[in-house]
């Protein structure tokens, strides 16, 4: 065995990277990031049965156009939490990403349900309370090896709880996500329903599983005007997704902006991300219903939200914190580069 001299730390610390559709990129290169956007949200089973006019080529071309338009505004990264239950298909998404190579698209693994697990999982080890859930291995494989036999690796884990509350299916997925996180270090995004304070339930389960709240983003926190509740979650360490700008039917624009401005005023800029939860294609509603949401698109945050926050006194430094630093910190897996990445500023 040859003797090796001690190396300076700087040469042994790998540059932190984040996985995207087209491969790993340096975390420092993520730049302006929308932390919660979709490209295609589909219901493949229903589309196979009922949709007669799906044109894959046109859908891909349309998505490329929308994403190029977004990239032209200065956004360099989107985080896409489309998983099982939302019609994730990396084969189609790669066709889009290859045509917009200067926009990073960060993708997830996980299961999206408000109630039961997808039937595929119903009898797969579900009856064993402490047995290994096959979901965990599938999530880990997506993170370590790639999704759908592509080279694209998932960078984070996604699950959901909504107004239906903590059903057994919701809890099963949340625990599977927690265990895949502990195995891989990949961060977690939980779709939450702040109106029913589901964050408290998420915190209880994730604490039981041993998950550090600073690795978890609570999506849709921005649907609430309860700033004390949100501040409490932020104090616990959670990152708050103020991520549905444009979904004015759930909470109007002025109120969404006011909540973010108030939390910035109270020193919580380091605990928030800004996004829209928009998509190029979203098959849950008829086009005329979507037409009633004219601001629900990729460009709303930079075009309308940031100027409105500025009007309310939010400083440029805080905009950068919410749009650049926080998504990067959350996405950068500490175990891969031996640092916390949490600057603690709030
Ligand atoms: Zn979403």
């Amino acid at each position: 065995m040859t003797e090796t001299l001690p190396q300076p730390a700087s040469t042994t610390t790998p540059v932190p990277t984040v996985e995207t559709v087209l491969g790993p990129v340096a975390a420092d290169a993520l730049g302006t990031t929308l932390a919660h956007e979709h490209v295609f949200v589909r219901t493949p089973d229903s589309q196979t049965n009922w949709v007669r006019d799906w044109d894959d080529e046109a859908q891909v071309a349309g998505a490329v156009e929308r994403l190029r338009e977004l990239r032209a505004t200065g956004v360099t990264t989107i985080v896409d939490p489309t998983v099982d239950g939302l019609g994730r298909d990396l084969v189609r998404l790669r066709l889009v990403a290859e045509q917009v190579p200067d926009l990073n698209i960060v993708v997830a693994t996980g299961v999206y349900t408000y109630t039961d697990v997808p039937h595929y999982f119903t009898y797969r080890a579900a009856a064993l309370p402490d047995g290994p859930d096959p979901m965990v291995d599938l999530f880990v494989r997506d993170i370590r090896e790639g999704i759908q036999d592509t080279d694209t690796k998932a960078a984070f884990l996604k699950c959901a709880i909504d107004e239906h509350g903590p059903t057994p299916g919701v809890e099963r997925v949340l625990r599977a996500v927690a265990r895949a996180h502990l195995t891989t270090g990949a961060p977690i995004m939980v779709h939450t329903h702040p109106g029913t304070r589901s964050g408290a339930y998420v915190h209880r389960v994730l604490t039981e599983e041993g998950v550090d709240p600073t690795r978890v983003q609570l999506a849709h926190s921005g649907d609430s005007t309860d700033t004390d509740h949100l501040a409490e979650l932020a104090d616990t360490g959670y990152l708050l997704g103020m991520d549905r700008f444009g979904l004015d039917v759930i909470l109007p624009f002025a109120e969404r902006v006011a909540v973010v401005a108030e939390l910035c005023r109270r020193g919580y800029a380091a605990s928030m991300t800004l996004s829209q939860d928009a998509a190029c294609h979203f098959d849950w509603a008829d086009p005329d219903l979507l037409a009633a949401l004219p601001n629900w698109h990729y460009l709303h945050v930079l075009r309308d939200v940031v100027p409105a926050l500025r009007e309310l006194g939010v400083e440029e430094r805080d905009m950068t914190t919410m749009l650049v630093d926080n998504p990067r910190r959350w996405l950068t897996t500490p175990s891969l580069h031996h640092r916390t990445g949490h600057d603690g500023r709030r």
Side-chain angles (χ1 to χ4, degrees), residues 242-247 256-257 260 274-276 296 300 305:
M242 314 306 274
D243 53 18
R244 276 178 160 176
F245 282 100
L247 264 175
R256 288 186 185 276
V257 170
V260 173
L274 304 178
S275 208
Q276 294 132 165
W296 198 32
H300 186 43
V305 175

Side-chain angles (χ1 to χ4, degrees), residues 38-45 47 54 80-93 110 112 148 281 283-284:
H38 301 270
V39 179
F40 299 108
V41 174
R42 300 176 72 236
T43 318
D45 198 9
Q47 288 212 0
W54 175 265
D80 179 350
T82 307
V83 291
D84 184 317
L86 291 169
R88 186 186 72 173
D89 183 353
L90 257 296
V91 175
R92 183 181 293 104
L93 191 55
Y112 182 90
Q148 288 170 257
H281 176 84
D283 79 356
W284 293 18

Side-chain angles (χ1 to χ4, degrees), residues 211-255:
V211 175
D212 172 0
T214 66
R215 304 302 300 135
V216 181
Q217 179 168 187
L218 300 178
H220 313 326
S221 295
D223 286 352
S224 172
T225 55
D226 188 346
T227 47
D228 288 340
H229 173 57
L230 297 177
E232 201 178 308
L233 292 169
D235 286 337
T236 310
Y238 291 101
L239 183 58
L240 308 174
M242 314 306 274
D243 53 18
R244 276 178 160 176
F245 282 100
L247 264 175
D248 299 340
V249 68
I250 297 176
L251 190 68
F253 175 77
E255 290 180 63

Side-chain angles (χ1 to χ4, degrees), residues 311-329:
E311 285 277 301
L312 293 175
V314 176
E315 293 174 27
E316 294 308 312
R317 191 190 58 176
D318 286 348
M319 305 288 187
T320 305
T321 300
M322 294 186 283
L323 285 166
V324 179
D325 301 338
N326 297 345
R328 182 191 57 224
R329 183 186 72 224

Side-chain angles (χ1 to χ4, degrees), residues 5-346:
L5 293 169
Q7 297 293 311
S10 61
T11 62
T12 56
T13 305
V15 175
T17 58
V18 172
E19 294 292 339
T20 74
V21 173
L22 299 180
V25 301
D28 287 343
L30 292 177
T32 301
T33 301
L34 297 178
H36 190 135
E37 305 297 337
H38 301 270
V39 179
F40 299 108
V41 174
R42 300 176 72 236
T43 318
D45 198 9
S46 302
Q47 288 212 0
T48 300
N49 281 281
W50 313 117
V51 175
R52 292 174 180 181
D53 60 354
W54 175 265
D55 180 340
D56 216 47
E57 223 169 276
Q59 289 289 345
V60 167
V64 167
E65 194 180 328
R66 303 268 302 274
L67 291 170
R68 282 181 180 160
E69 192 183 27
L70 172 64
R71 177 63 188 85
T73 67
V75 169
T76 40
T77 301
I78 62 167
V79 177
D80 179 350
T82 307
V83 291
D84 184 317
L86 291 169
R88 186 186 72 173
D89 183 353
L90 257 296
V91 175
R92 183 181 293 104
L93 191 55
R94 284 175 65 94
L95 291 176
V96 173
E98 282 162 3
Q99 296 178 67
V100 198
D102 53 351
L103 178 76
N104 305 308
I105 304 177
V106 179
V107 296
T109 185
V111 166
Y112 182 90
T113 180
Y114 303 161
T115 51
D116 300 325
V117 294
H119 286 306
Y120 178 80
F121 293 106
T122 302
Y123 301 115
R124 285 185 155 84
L128 306 170
D130 296 313
D133 193 315
M135 272 182 220
V136 180
D137 284 344
L138 295 175
F139 298 163
V140 170
R141 186 174 77 189
D142 280 357
I143 292 164
R144 288 193 171 154
E145 293 170 36
I147 302 168
Q148 288 170 257
D149 296 323
T150 71
D151 294 333
T152 298
K153 293 174 182 167
F156 67 105
L157 290 139
K158 169 79 184 294
C159 59
I161 176 168
D162 206 82
E163 59 189 342
H164 313 74
T167 67
V170 160
E171 183 154 331
R172 183 176 163 192
V173 179
L174 182 56
R175 291 191 188 276
V177 158
R179 287 166 199 185
H181 159 80
L182 294 172
T183 304
T184 61
I188 297 172
M189 177 189 286
V190 186
H191 162 121
T192 59
H193 186 261
T196 50
R197 299 195 166 205
S198 57
Y201 160 78
V202 170
H203 179 60
R204 180 177 67 72
V205 173
L206 291 184
T207 301
E208 282 173 16
E209 295 287 338
V211 175
D212 172 0
T214 66
R215 304 302 300 135
V216 181
Q217 179 168 187
L218 300 178
H220 313 326
S221 295
D223 286 352
S224 172
T225 55
D226 188 346
T227 47
D228 288 340
H229 173 57
L230 297 177
E232 201 178 308
L233 292 169
D235 286 337
T236 310
Y238 291 101
L239 183 58
L240 308 174
M242 314 306 274
D243 53 18
R244 276 178 160 176
F245 282 100
L247 264 175
D248 299 340
V249 68
I250 297 176
L251 190 68
F253 175 77
E255 290 180 63
R256 288 186 185 276
V257 170
V259 169
V260 173
E262 169 62 10
L263 286 170
C264 284
R265 193 190 63 74
R266 289 165 62 173
Y268 288 100
S271 298
M272 291 185 283
T273 60
L274 304 178
S275 208
Q276 294 132 165
D277 199 12
C280 296
H281 176 84
F282 175 73
D283 79 356
W284 293 18
D286 288 322
D288 48 338
L289 192 64
L290 297 176
L293 297 166
N295 293 322
W296 198 32
H297 58 74
Y298 289 153
L299 310 182
H300 186 43
V301 163
L302 287 197
R303 184 188 282 174
D304 307 311
V305 175
V306 167
L309 289 172
R310 224 174 255 144
E311 285 277 301
L312 293 175
V314 176
E315 293 174 27
E316 294 308 312
R317 191 190 58 176
D318 286 348
M319 305 288 187
T320 305
T321 300
M322 294 186 283
L323 285 166
V324 179
D325 301 338
N326 297 345
R328 182 191 57 224
R329 183 186 72 224
W330 172 70
L331 283 168
T332 308
T333 299
S335 58
L336 298 180
H337 62 102
H338 310 291
R339 73 173 197 210
T340 65
H342 186 38
D343 62 18
R345 188 162 78 84
R346 66 166 59 100

